[in-house]
Amino acid sequence: MHDKQNREPDNTAIRVALWRALHVRVDSSPHVLEDEVGLRLADPEEGWRQRPDMDPEGTSSFRASIVARARYIEDLVTEQLDNGVTQYVILGAGLDTFAQRRPEIASRMRVFEVDQPDTQAWKRQRLIELGFDIPEWLRLVSVDFEAGGSWWEQLKTAGFDATRPAVVASTGVTQYLTKDAIMDTLRQVARLAPGSTLAMTFLLPFELTESELRSEAEAAEKGARSSGTPFISFFTPPEMLALAQEADFREVQHVSATELNKRYFSGRTDNLRLPSGEEFLIATT
Protein backbone atom coordinates (compact mmCIF):
# COMPACT_ATOMS: atom_id res chain seq x y z
CA MET A 1 0.00 0.00 0.00
CA HIS A 2 1.39 3.38 -0.88
CA ASP A 3 2.07 5.92 1.83
CA LYS A 4 -0.64 8.53 1.35
CA GLN A 5 -0.01 10.33 4.60
CA ASN A 6 3.61 11.25 4.20
CA ARG A 7 4.16 11.53 0.46
CA GLU A 8 1.55 12.52 -2.07
CA PRO A 9 0.91 15.31 -4.54
CA ASP A 10 -0.91 18.39 -3.35
CA ASN A 11 -4.69 18.56 -3.45
CA THR A 12 -4.68 20.50 -6.70
CA ALA A 13 -2.80 17.76 -8.57
CA ILE A 14 -5.17 15.10 -7.27
CA ARG A 15 -8.24 17.18 -8.10
CA VAL A 16 -7.01 17.65 -11.68
CA ALA A 17 -6.55 13.89 -12.08
CA LEU A 18 -10.05 13.22 -10.74
CA TRP A 19 -11.63 15.84 -13.02
CA ARG A 20 -10.00 14.18 -16.01
CA ALA A 21 -11.48 10.85 -14.99
CA LEU A 22 -14.85 12.45 -14.31
CA HIS A 23 -14.91 13.81 -17.85
CA VAL A 24 -14.82 10.26 -19.20
CA ARG A 25 -17.50 9.10 -16.78
CA VAL A 26 -20.10 11.86 -16.93
CA ASP A 27 -19.62 13.81 -20.16
CA SER A 28 -20.86 12.71 -23.56
CA SER A 29 -18.65 11.26 -26.26
CA PRO A 30 -16.49 12.19 -28.00
CA HIS A 31 -14.27 12.89 -25.03
CA VAL A 32 -11.75 15.69 -25.38
CA LEU A 33 -9.22 13.63 -23.43
CA GLU A 34 -9.50 10.06 -22.19
CA ASP A 35 -7.53 9.74 -18.98
CA GLU A 36 -8.37 7.36 -16.19
CA VAL A 37 -4.74 6.49 -15.46
CA GLY A 38 -4.57 9.53 -13.20
CA LEU A 39 -7.48 8.12 -11.21
CA ARG A 40 -5.55 4.91 -10.68
CA LEU A 41 -2.52 6.89 -9.55
CA ALA A 42 -4.52 9.03 -7.12
CA ASP A 43 -6.40 6.02 -5.73
CA PRO A 44 -9.00 8.20 -3.97
CA GLU A 45 -11.18 7.05 -1.13
CA GLU A 46 -14.36 5.17 -2.01
CA GLY A 47 -17.14 7.60 -2.81
CA TRP A 48 -14.82 10.20 -4.33
CA ARG A 49 -17.51 11.20 -6.79
CA GLN A 50 -19.64 12.46 -3.89
CA ARG A 51 -17.02 15.07 -2.99
CA PRO A 52 -18.37 18.64 -3.36
CA ASP A 53 -15.56 19.47 -5.80
CA MET A 54 -16.64 16.55 -8.02
CA ASP A 55 -20.22 17.72 -8.58
CA PRO A 56 -20.80 17.10 -12.33
CA GLU A 57 -22.81 20.28 -12.89
CA GLY A 58 -21.02 22.63 -10.54
CA THR A 59 -17.54 21.76 -11.82
CA SER A 60 -18.27 21.38 -15.54
CA SER A 61 -16.45 24.58 -16.54
CA PHE A 62 -13.33 23.67 -14.56
CA ARG A 63 -13.43 20.12 -15.94
CA ALA A 64 -13.67 21.47 -19.48
CA SER A 65 -10.70 23.74 -18.86
CA ILE A 66 -8.57 20.90 -17.49
CA VAL A 67 -9.19 18.50 -20.38
CA ALA A 68 -8.93 21.22 -23.05
CA ARG A 69 -5.54 22.47 -21.93
CA ALA A 70 -4.18 18.92 -21.64
CA ARG A 71 -5.47 18.00 -25.10
CA TYR A 72 -4.09 21.20 -26.62
CA ILE A 73 -0.64 20.53 -25.19
CA GLU A 74 -0.64 16.94 -26.44
CA ASP A 75 -1.70 18.05 -29.92
CA LEU A 76 1.10 20.62 -29.87
CA VAL A 77 3.68 18.04 -28.76
CA THR A 78 2.57 15.66 -31.52
CA GLU A 79 2.78 18.44 -34.11
CA GLN A 80 6.25 19.46 -32.96
CA LEU A 81 7.44 15.84 -32.96
CA ASP A 82 6.50 15.72 -36.64
CA ASN A 83 8.77 18.76 -37.03
CA GLY A 84 11.67 16.92 -35.41
CA VAL A 85 11.37 18.24 -31.84
CA THR A 86 12.08 15.29 -29.55
CA GLN A 87 12.32 16.86 -26.07
CA TYR A 88 9.24 17.61 -23.96
CA VAL A 89 9.44 19.32 -20.56
CA ILE A 90 6.45 19.46 -18.22
CA LEU A 91 6.86 22.03 -15.44
CA GLY A 92 4.74 21.20 -12.40
CA ALA A 93 3.86 17.80 -13.86
CA GLY A 94 1.81 16.53 -10.91
CA LEU A 95 -0.14 13.45 -12.01
CA ASP A 96 0.41 13.98 -15.73
CA THR A 97 -0.10 10.67 -17.56
CA PHE A 98 0.95 11.47 -21.12
CA ALA A 99 3.82 8.97 -20.95
CA GLN A 100 1.52 6.16 -19.78
CA ARG A 101 -1.42 6.92 -22.10
CA ARG A 102 0.46 7.84 -25.27
CA PRO A 103 3.63 5.71 -25.31
CA GLU A 104 3.50 5.46 -29.12
CA ILE A 105 4.30 9.20 -29.16
CA ALA A 106 6.19 9.67 -25.90
CA SER A 107 8.63 6.84 -26.61
CA ARG A 108 9.89 8.74 -29.66
CA MET A 109 10.89 11.64 -27.41
CA ARG A 110 12.65 12.29 -24.15
CA VAL A 111 10.01 13.39 -21.64
CA PHE A 112 11.06 15.37 -18.55
CA GLU A 113 8.48 15.70 -15.78
CA VAL A 114 9.52 18.40 -13.30
CA ASP A 115 8.01 18.63 -9.82
CA GLN A 116 8.72 18.66 -6.10
CA PRO A 117 10.80 15.76 -4.67
CA ASP A 118 7.97 14.31 -2.56
CA THR A 119 5.59 14.30 -5.51
CA GLN A 120 8.17 12.61 -7.73
CA ALA A 121 9.01 9.95 -5.13
CA TRP A 122 5.30 9.26 -4.61
CA LYS A 123 4.58 9.06 -8.33
CA ARG A 124 7.52 6.76 -9.00
CA GLN A 125 6.30 4.42 -6.27
CA ARG A 126 2.72 4.45 -7.58
CA LEU A 127 3.78 3.77 -11.18
CA ILE A 128 5.77 0.77 -10.01
CA GLU A 129 2.88 -0.48 -7.86
CA LEU A 130 0.50 -0.24 -10.81
CA GLY A 131 2.84 -2.15 -13.09
CA PHE A 132 3.89 0.75 -15.31
CA ASP A 133 7.46 0.78 -16.51
CA ILE A 134 9.57 3.89 -16.01
CA PRO A 135 11.41 3.73 -19.34
CA GLU A 136 14.72 5.35 -20.10
CA TRP A 137 13.01 8.08 -22.14
CA LEU A 138 10.91 9.24 -19.14
CA ARG A 139 12.78 11.36 -16.61
CA LEU A 140 11.13 12.29 -13.29
CA VAL A 141 13.06 15.42 -12.38
CA SER A 142 12.94 16.48 -8.72
CA VAL A 143 13.30 20.17 -7.89
CA ASP A 144 12.90 21.60 -4.40
CA PHE A 145 11.36 24.93 -5.42
CA GLU A 146 10.70 25.93 -1.81
CA ALA A 147 14.44 25.71 -1.11
CA GLY A 148 15.26 27.76 -4.19
CA GLY A 149 16.06 24.81 -6.43
CA SER A 150 16.74 25.49 -10.11
CA TRP A 151 14.58 23.47 -12.49
CA TRP A 152 17.00 24.36 -15.27
CA GLU A 153 20.04 22.90 -13.50
CA GLN A 154 18.18 19.73 -12.55
CA LEU A 155 16.89 19.40 -16.09
CA LYS A 156 20.42 19.45 -17.49
CA THR A 157 21.52 16.91 -14.88
CA ALA A 158 18.66 14.65 -16.02
CA GLY A 159 19.99 14.64 -19.58
CA PHE A 160 18.26 17.58 -21.25
CA ASP A 161 20.19 18.69 -24.34
CA ALA A 162 20.23 22.48 -24.44
CA THR A 163 21.50 22.44 -28.03
CA ARG A 164 18.29 20.84 -29.33
CA PRO A 165 14.79 22.36 -29.41
CA ALA A 166 12.08 21.37 -26.96
CA VAL A 167 8.44 21.87 -26.09
CA VAL A 168 8.02 23.26 -22.58
CA ALA A 169 4.57 23.16 -20.97
CA SER A 170 3.49 25.08 -17.90
CA THR A 171 -0.24 24.81 -17.21
CA GLY A 172 -2.19 25.87 -14.15
CA VAL A 173 0.93 27.35 -12.54
CA THR A 174 1.29 31.08 -13.27
CA GLN A 175 -1.54 32.14 -10.96
CA TYR A 176 0.49 30.90 -7.98
CA LEU A 177 3.70 32.72 -8.98
CA THR A 178 4.90 36.29 -8.70
CA LYS A 179 5.46 38.29 -11.85
CA ASP A 180 9.22 38.12 -11.21
CA ALA A 181 9.12 34.31 -10.96
CA ILE A 182 7.12 34.10 -14.19
CA MET A 183 9.64 36.36 -15.93
CA ASP A 184 12.48 34.14 -14.73
CA THR A 185 10.80 31.15 -16.38
CA LEU A 186 10.09 33.07 -19.58
CA ARG A 187 13.69 34.26 -19.86
CA GLN A 188 15.06 30.78 -19.23
CA VAL A 189 12.87 29.14 -21.87
CA ALA A 190 13.55 31.99 -24.34
CA ARG A 191 17.23 31.00 -24.23
CA LEU A 192 16.54 27.45 -25.41
CA ALA A 193 17.61 26.29 -28.85
CA PRO A 194 15.87 27.89 -31.85
CA GLY A 195 12.63 26.11 -32.68
CA SER A 196 11.64 25.59 -29.05
CA THR A 197 8.05 26.29 -27.98
CA LEU A 198 6.60 27.35 -24.63
CA ALA A 199 2.92 26.70 -23.92
CA MET A 200 1.89 28.49 -20.73
CA THR A 201 -1.56 29.13 -19.30
CA PHE A 202 -2.49 32.29 -17.43
CA LEU A 203 -5.61 33.56 -15.69
CA LEU A 204 -7.50 36.63 -16.81
CA PRO A 205 -8.43 39.23 -14.17
CA PHE A 206 -11.81 38.33 -12.67
CA GLU A 207 -13.50 41.31 -14.30
CA LEU A 208 -12.71 39.76 -17.71
CA THR A 209 -14.14 36.38 -16.76
CA GLU A 210 -17.62 35.58 -18.09
CA SER A 211 -20.08 37.14 -15.64
CA GLU A 212 -22.09 33.95 -15.05
CA LEU A 213 -18.91 32.13 -14.05
CA ARG A 214 -17.30 34.88 -12.01
CA SER A 215 -18.65 33.56 -8.72
CA GLU A 216 -17.21 30.10 -9.48
CA ALA A 217 -13.82 31.60 -10.29
CA GLU A 218 -13.86 33.65 -7.12
CA ALA A 219 -14.83 30.56 -5.12
CA ALA A 220 -11.89 28.68 -6.65
CA GLU A 221 -9.58 31.54 -5.69
CA LYS A 222 -10.95 31.50 -2.13
CA GLY A 223 -10.41 27.74 -1.90
CA ALA A 224 -6.85 28.05 -3.16
CA ARG A 225 -6.14 30.78 -0.61
CA SER A 226 -7.56 28.74 2.27
CA SER A 227 -5.40 25.76 1.28
CA GLY A 228 -2.26 27.89 1.43
CA THR A 229 -1.77 28.33 -2.32
CA PRO A 230 -3.39 31.70 -3.12
CA PHE A 231 -3.81 33.05 -6.64
CA ILE A 232 -1.48 36.04 -6.89
CA SER A 233 -1.02 36.73 -10.63
CA PHE A 234 -3.55 37.63 -13.30
CA PHE A 235 -2.84 39.03 -16.77
CA THR A 236 -4.70 40.42 -19.73
CA PRO A 237 -3.59 38.86 -23.05
CA PRO A 238 -1.65 42.02 -24.10
CA GLU A 239 0.15 42.03 -20.74
CA MET A 240 1.20 38.39 -21.09
CA LEU A 241 2.32 38.86 -24.69
CA ALA A 242 4.36 41.89 -23.60
CA LEU A 243 6.13 39.82 -20.91
CA ALA A 244 7.06 37.15 -23.46
CA GLN A 245 8.32 39.78 -25.88
CA GLU A 246 10.38 41.35 -23.10
CA ALA A 247 11.87 37.90 -22.44
CA ASP A 248 13.05 37.93 -26.07
CA PHE A 249 10.97 35.20 -27.69
CA ARG A 250 11.02 35.32 -31.48
CA GLU A 251 7.23 34.92 -31.87
CA VAL A 252 4.40 35.18 -29.34
CA GLN A 253 0.76 34.23 -29.70
CA HIS A 254 -2.37 34.32 -27.54
CA VAL A 255 -4.70 31.31 -27.84
CA SER A 256 -8.08 32.16 -26.32
CA ALA A 257 -10.72 30.02 -24.69
CA THR A 258 -12.94 30.89 -27.65
CA GLU A 259 -10.45 29.29 -30.05
CA LEU A 260 -10.20 26.16 -27.89
CA ASN A 261 -13.98 25.92 -27.78
CA LYS A 262 -14.13 25.95 -31.57
CA ARG A 263 -11.42 23.31 -31.74
CA TYR A 264 -12.62 20.86 -29.08
CA PHE A 265 -16.21 21.58 -28.05
CA SER A 266 -18.08 22.42 -31.27
CA GLY A 267 -21.19 20.36 -31.90
CA ARG A 268 -21.36 18.77 -28.46
CA THR A 269 -24.76 17.62 -27.24
CA ASP A 270 -24.05 18.10 -23.52
CA ASN A 271 -23.24 21.83 -23.66
CA LEU A 272 -19.81 21.22 -22.15
CA ARG A 273 -17.68 24.22 -23.02
CA LEU A 274 -14.63 26.11 -21.94
CA PRO A 275 -15.32 29.39 -20.10
CA SER A 276 -13.23 32.50 -20.57
CA GLY A 277 -10.80 32.83 -17.71
CA GLU A 278 -7.80 30.65 -18.50
CA GLU A 279 -5.91 31.43 -21.71
CA PHE A 280 -2.72 30.21 -23.43
CA LEU A 281 0.53 31.95 -24.26
CA ILE A 282 2.41 30.21 -27.08
CA ALA A 283 5.92 31.54 -27.53
CA THR A 284 8.68 30.29 -29.82
CA THR A 285 12.43 30.84 -29.86
Side-chain angles (χ1 to χ4, degrees), residues 19-280:
W19 276 341
R20 288 183 177 187
L22 196 63
H23 173 58
V24 176
R25 297 183 174 209
V26 305
D27 296 323
S28 301
S29 297
H31 297 120
V32 178
L33 186 85
E34 295 194 2
D35 180 10
E36 293 192 287
V37 176
L39 175 63
R40 296 175 63 193
L41 284 172
D43 189 23
E45 301 294 335
E46 188 175 349
W48 64 273
R49 286 183 58 176
Q50 278 66 58
R51 289 171 36 166
D53 59 355
M54 292 296 126
D55 175 66
E57 292 298 324
T59 65
S60 64
S61 60
F62 299 117
R63 193 167 65 247
S65 179
I66 291 300
V67 297
R69 75 190 191 193
R71 172 66 182 275
Y72 182 75
I73 293 290
E74 293 188 11
D75 287 351
L76 176 65
V77 168
T78 302
E79 173 188 299
Q80 291 302 304
L81 177 60
D82 290 340
N83 293 334
V85 178
T86 58
Q87 296 186 110
Y88 174 30
V89 179
I90 311 170
L91 299 179
L95 274 66
D96 190 275
T97 59
F98 171 71
Q100 289 76 46
R101 292 179 296 102
R102 305 294 302 277
E104 76 283 1
I105 298 172
S107 63
R108 297 165 57 197
M109 312 184 77
R110 184 162 286 181
V111 180
F112 300 87
E113 297 188 10
V114 180
D115 216 315
Q116 296 277 7
D118 281 355
T119 295
Q120 299 295 56
W122 179 91
K123 186 173 186 180
R124 183 180 298 275
Q125 180 181 342
R126 286 297 292 142
L127 287 172
I128 292 170
E129 289 172 354
L130 291 171
F132 287 104
D133 291 331
I134 303 178
E136 187 276 338
W137 47 261
L138 175 60
R139 308 293 172 91
L140 302 182
V141 182
S142 298
V143 181
D144 191 347
F145 296 105
E146 294 177 1
S150 167
W151 64 269
W152 174 243
E153 291 302 323
Q154 293 303 316
L155 200 60
K156 290 191 293 184
T157 300
F160 182 83
D161 186 349
T163 68
R164 294 168 48 223
V167 175
V168 179
S170 175
T171 60
V173 174
T174 57
Q175 60 263 37
Y176 303 110
L177 303 178
T178 64
K179 181 179 177 180
D180 286 346
I182 294 167
M183 278 302 301
D184 285 345
T185 298
L186 290 172
R187 289 192 180 103
Q188 188 65 70
V189 178
R191 290 196 292 266
L192 296 183
S196 296
T197 303
L198 170 67
M200 173 182 278
T201 60
F202 61 97
L203 291 188
L204 298 177
F206 285 145
E207 61 269 21
L208 298 183
T209 303
E210 292 177 28
S211 57
E212 66 270 23
L213 296 170
R214 199 167 297 158
S215 61
E216 294 179 15
E218 291 174 346
E221 191 280 332
K222 182 178 179 181
R225 190 176 348 112
S226 65
S227 67
T229 54
F231 294 175
I232 58 178
S233 290
F234 303 85
F235 300 95
T236 65
E239 288 171 340
M240 182 54 75
L241 292 175
L243 290 182
Q245 289 169 334
E246 182 182 340
D248 209 23
F249 280 96
R250 180 173 55 85
E251 294 182 5
V252 299
Q253 177 187 2
H254 163 227
V255 177
S256 68
T258 299
E259 292 173 74
L260 294 181
N261 271 321
K262 290 178 181 177
R263 185 165 181 169
Y264 298 122
F265 296 94
S266 294
R268 294 191 65 87
T269 59
D270 57 6
N271 295 318
L272 187 70
R273 61 183 291 273
L274 189 65
S276 66
E278 185 176 65
E279 315 275 292
F280 262 106

